[in-house]
Amino acid sequence: MAPTKSWLFTSAVVGVIVYVAMWVGYVQNWAWLAVVDTRLLQTFHDVGATRPGWVAFWAVLCAVFGPNGFRVVALVLLVVALARRNVATAVFLLISIGLMGVVTEVAKFVVDRPRPPTALVDAASSSFPSGHALGAMVGVLALLTVLWPSLTARWRTVVAVLGGVLIVLVGSARVVLNVHHPSDVLAGWALGYLFYLLCVRLVPPRGITAAAETLAVPDTGR
C-alpha cells in the first residue's frame, strides 16, 4: 500500500525530532547519549583493533555502498530516463542523489563535531552527521522510488527488505570502524530521510520506464 499523507507527516516529524535530539544532545553533552556513544565505540574498537580482516571487510562495504556508489547507479538510471524522455525522473535523481553530498557538508559545517579519536580507518571532514548513513538512506529510497513501478509485487518485497538491510549495514559500519559516533549515524539517517521527502515533494518522479504515468510515491500533494 502507498503511504498515506498522515503517515508521511508523522514520519517526517519523527525525523526532525531524532535529528534535533542528536544535535542538541551532542552540543549539551547529554550524559546518557555520551555513554551510549562511548560504550559502543569502545566495544567495536576492541573487536577491530586486533582483527585487520574484520576492519577491511567493513571498509570495503562502506566504499562500495557509500555515497559514490549510489551516484554511479543514479547516473546510469538518469541516462536511461533521459533516453526515454522521462525528465521528471532524471531531475529527481539529479536533485536527490546528486545533491545529497551538499546537504551533508552543510550540516557538517554547521555542527563541526570532531571524529572519534579511536577511528580504525582514515576519514575526512567532521563527524556529525554521518554522510554514509545519509547517503544510504537517500540512495536506497530514491532508487526504490524510481524502480518501484517496474517491479512485481514479489520483487518489491525482496528489494525493499534488501534496501532496509543495506541502510542499517552501512550506518552500522561507520560505528564499527569508529569513524562516527552512533548519534552521528542516527542523525544521518534522519536528515537523509527528511531530504528524500523534500525531493519527492519538490520534484516528484515517475517510474524509470517510459510507460509510467503515475508518481512513484503517491500522496505527495502533486
Side-chain angles (χ1 to χ4, degrees):
M1 294 180 61
T4 62
K5 289 182 179 180
S6 61
W7 188 91
L8 290 172
F9 176 78
T10 300
S11 64
V13 171
V14 171
V16 171
I17 291 173
V18 170
Y19 184 78
V20 172
M22 295 302 100
W23 185 357
V24 174
Y26 159 63
V27 173
Q28 297 295 322
N29 195 27
W30 289 350
W32 69 268
L33 186 60
V35 168
V36 172
D37 279 349
T38 301
R39 288 185 177 176
L40 283 176
L41 285 173
Q42 188 60 55
T43 297
F44 286 115
H45 181 271
D46 292 344
V47 173
T50 57
R51 296 174 176 83
W54 167 263
V55 172
F57 168 80
W58 292 104
V60 170
L61 184 143
C62 288
V64 174
F65 297 105
N68 286 333
F70 286 104
R71 291 185 182 107
V72 170
V73 177
L75 179 61
V76 173
L77 292 179
L78 188 151
V79 172
V80 172
L82 289 177
R84 295 178 175 179
R85 298 182 180 180
N86 190 341
V87 178
T89 295
V91 172
F92 171 75
L93 290 170
L94 179 63
I95 298 298
S96 60
I97 296 180
L99 295 183
M100 63 187 182
V102 175
V103 175
T104 299
E105 291 308 314
V106 169
K108 284 179 178 288
F109 175 79
V110 171
V111 181
D112 195 27
R113 183 182 194 179
R115 295 272 184 178
T118 54
L120 296 170
V121 295
D122 293 331
S125 74
S126 56
S127 190
F128 185 102
S130 166
H132 277 72
L134 186 151
M137 180 65 77
V138 175
V140 167
L141 291 179
L143 295 179
L144 279 176
T145 298
V146 300
L147 294 175
W148 199 256
S150 305
L151 301 174
T152 63
R154 181 177 181 180
W155 277 107
R156 285 179 177 180
T157 300
V158 172
V159 173
V161 170
L162 290 177
V165 170
L166 183 59
I167 290 172
V168 173
L169 282 178
V170 172
S172 300
R174 306 309 284 171
V175 180
V176 170
L177 295 172
N178 268 227
V179 291
H180 280 293
H181 308 84
S183 53
D184 300 335
V185 172
L186 288 176
W189 284 334
L191 185 58
Y193 180 67
L194 293 171
F195 178 61
Y196 161 77
L197 290 182
L198 179 64
C199 291
V200 170
R201 170 67 66 174
L202 296 180
V203 285
R206 294 160 52 191
I208 195 65
T209 60
E213 295 297 338
T214 57
L215 297 182
V217 176
D219 298 322
T220 59
R222 296 296 294 266

